[in-house]
Amino acid sequence: MALADIDSDGDLDLLAGSSGGVAVRLNNGSGAFSGTQTVTLPTSWTIVMADVDGDGDLDLTSASQSGKVSIRLNDGSGTFSGGSDVTIGGTVQGLALGDLDGDGDLDFVASVHATTGTVAVRFNNGSGSFSGSTSVSVGSNPNGMTLGTWMATATWTCSRPTKLPPAR
């Protein structure tokens, strides 16, 4: 499940994975959800909303038990189409997006919940198409994925207290 502003109206819309795909429900701004759009996809374990094609709206990425990461592009109004299915293999459970190669677009890592114990790494060409075949061994049955930047730098400044004038 994911909450994201997919129709650019300033409120959070609802996307929920099921065995038939991802149900999309738009928020009217007061917390009431409506609509009947279902994006047909394999059973989705993880849904991540991110701008993978660089057009300023949030696209749908989904990890599935069928061994694929599915990408569906948002037209800006909350309607999803096009995109691709990237075959990873195994059961893909965890999914995270971030700029892994420093080129300014979002790439993905996906955990393959299988005896292989790997994380698949795929690189975005900037328009939402992913390629590559890198796998990183991480141990058996990886599940969730998170990307982040760790900064181990701290600056400490010590100064002598200044005497304040008495309160009036």
Side-chain angles (χ1 to χ4, degrees):
M1 183 171 61
L3 293 171
D5 182 10
I6 59 171
D7 56 358
S8 302
D9 63 356
D11 54 40
L12 295 176
D13 305 302
L14 173 67
L15 297 99
S18 68
S19 60
V22 174
V24 177
R25 302 298 180 260
L26 301 178
N27 185 344
N28 70 359
S30 62
F33 296 91
S34 64
T36 59
Q37 180 186 181
T38 297
V39 181
T40 304
L41 295 172
T43 300
S44 299
W45 286 104
T46 303
I47 298 169
V48 178
M49 304 303 295
D51 183 12
V52 298
D53 59 358
D55 65 355
D57 54 41
L58 296 175
D59 305 304
L60 169 64
T61 61
S62 170
S64 73
Q65 67 182 17
S66 67
K68 296 179 181 180
V69 171
S70 298
I71 296 97
R72 297 296 180 267
L73 304 178
N74 185 349
D75 69 0
S77 68
T79 301
F80 298 90
S81 62
S84 61
D85 295 316
V86 180
T87 300
I88 303 297
T91 297
V92 183
Q93 287 192 320
L95 178 65
L97 284 89
D99 186 4
L100 301 173
D101 54 5
D103 63 358
D105 54 43
L106 297 175
D107 311 300
F108 74 73
V109 292
S111 61
V112 182
H113 186 77
T115 56
T116 60
T118 60
V119 170
V121 180
R122 300 296 182 266
F123 298 101
N124 186 349
N125 71 358
S127 65
S129 295
F130 294 83
S131 62
S133 59
T134 302
S135 290
V136 179
S137 180
V138 295
S140 23
N141 299 319
N143 287 309
M145 297 296 306
T146 301
L147 289 176
T149 302
W150 175 258
M151 300 203 40
T153 303
T155 303
W156 294 91
T157 303
C158 291
S159 63
R160 207 169 157 178
T162 302
K163 187 173 181 179
L164 298 174
R168 293 183 187 193

